[in-house]
Amino acid sequence: MRGQLIFGLLLLGAHFGFSFLNEHGRIINGNLAVAKQFPYQVYYDVLDLTNLEEPIEWQPSCGGTLISKRIILTAAHCFRHPNIYAIKIYFGAVDKSNASEIGQHRLAVKRENVVVHQEYDDNAYNDIALIKLPIDVAFDEYIKPAKLPQPGISYPSEAIASGWGINKVSDDNKPSRDSKLRYFQFQILSHAECKKWKVQDFLVSSRICLAPSQNAPCNGDSGGPLIVSHNGDSVLLGVTSYGYTGKCTDEFPDVYTRVASYLDWIHENAGANNLDE
């Protein structure tokens, strides 16, 4: 059994047309992942101090993507609540409830380690953030970074999304979830194709649109990766942002932040020594 990595944290005391995907905290109808399949995938809980009259507990939050030994990419809207004090990050996990799972490590850091895009707003424009880790993550079979996209390269239009969000919504609209990582393959729509779904009011070049299907990212998948395979590498094209109905249905496209639009921002805010080139 592999030891867990826990870093410094003493716990304190004792729509307008679309919906963010982390209010409930899965890939609807997705496939169950296996160990080592998505080594770049992370998840984090948050410690929110909004109500100090209630017991302070870790709350499920969002996914993210490891892109170097010190940097995780995620969604800005996961940190829109001002009283988040700390985050607990799961690396190398498939069953995040199993603390003794082989390959799983955990790391807790303070909110000050998070950098939210300075022009993020409630319309989910610039919905991107990064988490700067205080120590290097040790790479192995279970934990490896994804590659950032490169300008000028034409990537495949089929991509994999993964996450620990809601995995089923019943007929009476009750969500179902478990602690297992799920994934599915999606078709990326062109800008013109996405406009046909009448979501153009929110569609800009810095966003990616996924074709509706029987599968969909759902609440709790926010911040997670949209990955394509290119020359043997896992390339991070998008960060899970939002869905239009908030009901995780197949009626409308789901929208991701386009990572290629933020490469300069990522390099500027990660720090020169924190990205593996």
Side-chain angles (χ1 to χ4, degrees), residues 193-254:
E193 290 171 327
C194 196
K195 282 187 175 181
K196 296 177 183 178
W197 293 88
K198 302 184 185 304
V199 297
Q200 63 265 34
D201 289 346
F202 300 106
L203 184 61
V204 294
S205 61
S206 60
R207 290 172 171 166
I208 293 174
C209 211
L210 296 188
S213 74
Q214 63 179 342
N215 306 87
C218 196
N219 302 333
D221 291 317
S222 283
L226 183 69
I227 295 285
V228 294
S229 179
H230 181 73
N231 293 336
D233 292 325
S234 296
V235 180
L236 179 66
L237 290 194
V239 173
T240 313
S241 185
Y242 65 88
Y244 277 88
T245 64
K247 297 180 181 179
C248 308
T249 69
D250 57 2
E251 297 175 0
F252 292 96
D254 290 293

Side-chain angles (χ1 to χ4, degrees), residues 61 104 106 124 157 183 186 194 241 249:
S61 183
Q104 183 182 141
R106 301 178 183 184
S157 60
Y183 72 96
F186 295 92
C194 196
S241 185
T249 69

Side-chain angles (χ1 to χ4, degrees), residues 28-273:
I28 295 295
N29 299 323
N31 304 306
L32 283 169
V34 297
K36 309 176 189 178
Q37 187 174 7
F38 302 110
Y40 48 78
Q41 173 90 51
V42 306
Y43 188 84
Y44 53 91
D45 299 332
V46 298
L47 199 64
D48 193 325
L49 305 186
T50 299
N51 188 357
L52 295 179
E53 295 181 358
E54 298 292 331
I56 299 172
E57 297 178 345
W58 292 106
Q59 300 295 327
S61 183
C62 289
T65 307
L66 187 68
I67 60 171
S68 77
K69 292 179 179 179
R70 293 242 179 171
I71 300 295
I72 291 167
L73 214 56
T74 187
H77 76 260
C78 296
F79 296 97
R80 67 189 187 278
H81 298 304
N83 293 322
I84 293 175
Y85 174 76
I87 59 177
K88 179 170 62 177
I89 308 164
Y90 299 76
F91 300 87
V94 172
D95 182 355
K96 65 185 182 65
S97 70
N98 182 4
S100 62
E101 179 181 34
I102 295 175
Q104 183 182 141
H105 295 269
R106 301 178 183 184
L107 177 69
V109 300
K110 290 185 177 180
R111 169 64 175 78
E112 62 196 41
N113 288 63
V114 178
V115 180
V116 173
H117 195 286
Q118 65 277 10
E119 295 181 10
Y120 165 75
D121 64 25
D122 288 338
N123 294 334
Y125 291 116
N126 304 305
D127 190 11
I128 192 167
L130 57 82
I131 303 169
K132 302 176 77 169
L133 305 176
I135 57 174
D136 288 350
V137 173
F139 297 155
D140 57 21
E141 294 179 287
Y142 300 87
I143 304 173
K144 295 178 183 178
K147 298 285 188 180
L148 291 174
Q150 298 300 310
I153 293 181
S154 179
Y155 290 104
S157 60
E158 291 187 346
I160 296 287
S162 51
W164 279 273
I166 291 170
N167 66 343
K168 183 179 181 181
V169 179
S170 63
D171 293 338
D172 57 0
N173 205 34
K174 291 183 178 180
S176 172
R177 73 195 79 182
D178 57 34
S179 60
K180 304 292 180 61
L181 179 63
R182 293 179 185 260
Y183 72 96
F184 201 78
Q185 184 167 287
F186 295 92
Q187 187 73 29
I188 297 174
L189 294 178
S190 68
H191 194 86
E193 290 171 327
C194 196
K195 282 187 175 181
K196 296 177 183 178
W197 293 88
K198 302 184 185 304
V199 297
Q200 63 265 34
D201 289 346
F202 300 106
L203 184 61
V204 294
S205 61
S206 60
R207 290 172 171 166
I208 293 174
C209 211
L210 296 188
S213 74
Q214 63 179 342
N215 306 87
C218 196
N219 302 333
D221 291 317
S222 283
L226 183 69
I227 295 285
V228 294
S229 179
H230 181 73
N231 293 336
D233 292 325
S234 296
V235 180
L236 179 66
L237 290 194
V239 173
T240 313
S241 185
Y242 65 88
Y244 277 88
T245 64
K247 297 180 181 179
C248 308
T249 69
D250 57 2
E251 297 175 0
F252 292 96
D254 290 293
V255 180
Y256 282 65
T257 300
R258 188 184 299 274
V259 174
S261 297
Y262 295 93
L263 294 177
D264 289 343
W265 181 86
I266 293 169
H267 281 82
E268 290 169 4
N269 289 275
N273 299 321

